[in-house]
């Protein structure tokens, strides 16, 4: 098979993997005239497709042959898709050719499982090793690792990559038993734990002066949303577990996409994309705003409100905590006000040392008054208790209804 045909098949097969962000890579470059490529301090320069996926990496599978039979995967053993496989030399050539043409900033390499996990992992490592050692490639490399592979091989992969990841795919073992029976959450967590230990050791070595050490700086994972009955609470609880125990950089939520010739146990339709968006918003609240999973979702409401963002939905359920006084409230309390972000709160904390904050000051900070007025007290605005208690408060924030077009296409 020609190289171009392989590229068409294996690049298309890789598009379902969302976990390809590059933030956090170590800054290296080739400005000294040695080597090829570079990464910025915050990762490579990249752009995103309209659906949020990174598109500036050469994102391919080494092969779409696979011995696993995960129902949600287009490359599963029983799928009738066209199969192809790169050699390590072919991936290296494509990466270098694309890089030198300024098409890409780095490589995202994943693979179906062929023969066994160790054999596949060795092939993936061979690509990264050749790029780094034979061509002194200094661009970004993200390697997808396999939890069933030997710990020693995953450790070697981390030495050549800027980021490594293991896809969890589904949040509970019950879901995996149905859709991906060869996979185990326990095994994946063990692999993540070992990776975390190696990442910590590398961090300590850099901190102690080993500036030349090349080692991955973080790990991430991906879960598929809407392929089964898992609730948003299941996804956020698992993310909380992974962030807390393994310090993952990111958990990526990928809305299930119907695939050609799907398994009969998969849903016919994809979930609404806004569900994926709400999960990212809730994830952000957990990581940067101090929210706990139990605050965002409750046993009575295990799924996120698709009409309102999670912070606004939380505020409407906890109206007794509002309004907060912009002049005296703590940073933590201000961060919970709908419409206030981390940067806005930091500026408010600086300004209020010198003056009593009025609504005009908030406008100058480009804060939406319409969103914060019911929840925030300023020197010239004291929201009425009636407004906070009103049944119409939720309706105030709902998307405006749109007139249907008679002749819409």
């Amino acid at each position: 098979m020609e190289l171009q045909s392989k590229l068409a098949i294996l690049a298309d097969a890789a598009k379902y993997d969302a976990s390809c962000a590059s933030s956090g890579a170590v800054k290296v470059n080739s400005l000294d005239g040695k080597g090829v490529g570079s990464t910025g301090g915050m990762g490579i320069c990249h752009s995103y497709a309209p659906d949020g996926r990174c598109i500036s990496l050469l994102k391919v599978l080494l092969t779409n042959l696979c011995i696993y039979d995960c129902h949600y995967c287009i490359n599963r053993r029983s799928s009738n898709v066209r199969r192809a496989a790169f050699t390590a030399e072919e991936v290296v050539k494509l990466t270098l050719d694309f890089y030198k043409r300024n098409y890409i900033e780095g490589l995202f390499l994943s693979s179906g499982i062929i023969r066994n996990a160790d054999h596949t992992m060795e092939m993936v490592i061979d690509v990264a090793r050749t790029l780094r050692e034979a061509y002194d490639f200094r661009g970004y490399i993200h390697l997808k690792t396999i939890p069933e592979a030997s710990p020693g091989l995953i450790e070697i992969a981390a030495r050549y990559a800027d980021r490594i990841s293991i896809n969890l795919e589904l949040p509970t073992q019950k879901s995996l038993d149905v859709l991906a029976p060869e996979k185990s959450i326990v095994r994946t967590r063990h692999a993540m734990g070992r990776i975390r230990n190696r990442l910590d050791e590398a961090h300590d070595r850099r901190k102690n002066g080993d500036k030349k050490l090349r080692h991955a700086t973080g790990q991430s994972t991906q879960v598929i949303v809407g392929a089964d009955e898992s609730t948003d609470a299941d996804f956020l609880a698992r993310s909380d577990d992974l962030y807390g125990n393994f310090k993952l950089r990111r958990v990526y939520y990928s809305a299930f996409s119907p695939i050609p010739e799907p398994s009969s146990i998969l849903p016919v339709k994809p979930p609404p994309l806004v569900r994926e968006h709400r999960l990212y918003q809730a994830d952000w609240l957990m990581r940067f705003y101090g929210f706990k999973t139990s605050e965002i979702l409750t046993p009575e409401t295990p799924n996120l409100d698709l009409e309102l963002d999670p912070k606004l939905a939380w505020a409407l359920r906890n109206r007794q905590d509002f309004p907060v006084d912009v002049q005296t409230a703590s940073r933590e309390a201000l961060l919970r006000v709908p419409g206030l972000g981390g940067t806005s709160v930091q500026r408010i904390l600086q300004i209020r040392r010198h003056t009593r904050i009025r609504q005009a000051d908030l406008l100058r900070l480009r804060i939406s008054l319409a969103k914060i007025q019911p929840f925030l007290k300023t020197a010239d605005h004291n929201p009425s208790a009636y407004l906070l208690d009103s049944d119409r408060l939720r309706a105030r924030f709902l998307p405006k209804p749109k007139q249907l077009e008679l002749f819409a296409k």
Side-chain angles (χ1 to χ4, degrees):
M1 184 181 291
E2 292 183 356
L3 185 59
Q4 190 167 346
S5 299
K6 291 183 182 179
L7 181 60
I9 294 171
L10 296 173
D12 186 69
K15 69 183 180 184
Y16 297 95
D17 203 317
S19 57
C20 62
S22 59
S23 59
V26 175
K27 185 177 182 179
V28 292
N29 60 57
S30 52
L31 294 177
D32 57 1
K34 299 177 181 177
V36 178
S38 65
T39 60
M42 291 302 292
I44 63 171
C45 297
H46 48 250
S47 58
Y48 293 86
D51 59 358
R53 288 172 171 78
C54 179
I55 58 172
S56 62
L57 306 175
L58 173 58
K59 184 176 173 183
V60 292
L61 299 186
L62 194 58
T63 176
N64 64 346
L65 295 161
C66 192
I67 60 174
Y68 288 2
D69 203 28
C70 307
H71 288 268
Y72 48 78
C73 183
I74 193 171
N75 303 313
R76 67 187 187 280
R77 183 177 66 233
S78 57
S79 175
N80 193 29
V81 297
R82 288 184 70 197
R83 305 288 181 174
F86 282 129
T87 63
E89 293 73 21
E90 287 172 333
V91 179
V92 168
K93 181 179 186 308
L94 283 170
T95 303
L96 294 175
D97 287 351
F98 279 28
Y99 195 93
K100 290 174 180 176
R101 288 176 171 84
N102 203 29
Y103 293 166
I104 60 165
E105 308 277 351
L107 171 67
F108 176 94
L109 185 61
S110 184
S111 180
I113 313 297
I114 48 174
R115 197 177 304 176
N116 55 54
D118 279 356
H119 177 71
T120 308
M121 202 67 239
E122 287 171 357
M123 294 175 63
V124 169
I125 290 172
D126 195 27
V127 173
R129 181 192 290 119
T130 304
L131 280 168
R132 295 295 194 213
E133 295 185 351
Y135 295 94
D136 198 13
F137 181 72
R138 303 183 188 189
Y140 179 83
I141 296 180
H142 183 150
L143 297 181
K144 186 71 69 179
T145 57
I146 305 163
E148 293 78 16
S150 302
L153 289 174
I154 295 179
E155 187 176 339
I156 293 172
R159 293 179 202 160
Y160 294 110
D162 296 284
R163 177 71 61 85
I164 54 178
S165 57
I166 298 177
N167 279 0
L168 189 66
E169 308 293 18
L170 294 166
T172 65
Q173 186 59 49
K174 181 181 175 184
S175 297
L176 285 176
D177 289 342
V178 174
L179 295 180
E182 287 99 346
K183 297 197 172 186
S184 160
I185 280 188
V186 172
R187 211 160 42 219
T188 302
R189 291 181 87 257
H190 285 167
M192 287 179 172
R194 288 191 294 268
I195 292 172
R196 181 67 258 162
N197 292 336
R198 299 287 88 75
L199 292 174
D200 287 343
E201 289 173 9
H203 174 75
D204 290 342
R205 285 180 59 184
R206 288 196 192 93
K207 193 175 178 180
N208 293 326
D210 190 353
K211 303 297 182 186
K212 294 185 177 180
L213 175 68
R214 178 173 272 283
H215 194 281
T217 55
Q219 60 174 327
S220 58
T221 192
Q222 170 182 281
V223 287
I224 301 171
V225 179
D228 71 331
E229 298 299 322
S230 297
T231 65
D232 293 342
D234 293 328
F235 285 104
L236 294 182
R238 181 58 64 190
S239 298
D240 197 28
D241 165 43
L242 300 180
Y243 287 133
N245 291 307
F246 308 116
K247 301 179 184 175
L248 259 67
R249 293 274 188 169
R250 288 289 301 273
V251 175
Y252 291 89
Y253 306 92
S254 178
F256 166 69
S257 300
I259 54 179
E261 301 182 31
S263 164
S264 59
I265 62 175
L266 288 175
V268 177
K269 294 182 178 179
L273 271 180
V274 69
R275 185 182 176 194
E276 178 186 289
H277 180 58
R278 296 293 182 226
L279 281 166
Y280 275 115
Q281 289 178 315
D283 184 281
W284 195 262
L285 292 181
M286 289 163 47
R287 289 191 294 144
F288 300 109
Y289 286 72
F291 280 82
K292 297 177 182 175
T293 310
S294 57
E295 294 179 294
I296 299 171
L297 291 168
T298 64
E300 294 76 29
T301 55
N303 288 304
L304 294 165
D305 189 330
L306 298 185
E307 294 185 308
L308 300 174
D309 72 73
K311 188 157 76 164
L312 180 55
W314 172 85
L316 292 176
R317 289 198 308 270
N318 295 275
R319 301 183 194 193
Q320 71 280 359
D321 295 342
F322 298 98
V324 300
D325 190 329
V326 72
Q327 207 67 36
T328 58
S330 66
R331 178 178 182 276
E332 289 72 24
L334 289 173
L335 281 173
R336 294 188 170 229
V337 176
L340 291 186
T343 302
S344 301
V345 167
Q346 192 59 37
R347 289 174 178 169
I348 287 172
L349 295 176
Q350 293 171 350
I351 293 171
R352 75 182 189 184
R353 295 177 186 170
H354 311 289
T355 185
R356 288 186 61 75
I357 295 179
R358 309 174 74 83
Q359 292 197 64
D361 299 315
L362 299 179
L363 276 176
R364 279 191 282 273
L365 294 178
R366 299 186 177 181
I367 294 171
S368 167
L369 292 185
K371 194 164 188 178
I372 65 165
Q373 276 178 335
F375 306 104
L376 194 66
K377 185 191 300 184
T378 62
D380 57 346
H381 173 71
N382 190 1
S384 68
Y386 170 76
L387 179 60
L388 271 173
D389 292 338
S390 170
D391 291 337
R392 291 180 296 178
L393 185 55
R394 174 183 167 85
R396 171 177 173 156
F397 295 108
L398 292 177
K400 304 297 179 196
K402 294 181 179 178
Q403 175 67 49
L404 295 176
E405 296 181 25
L406 185 59
F407 300 105
K409 293 180 180 179

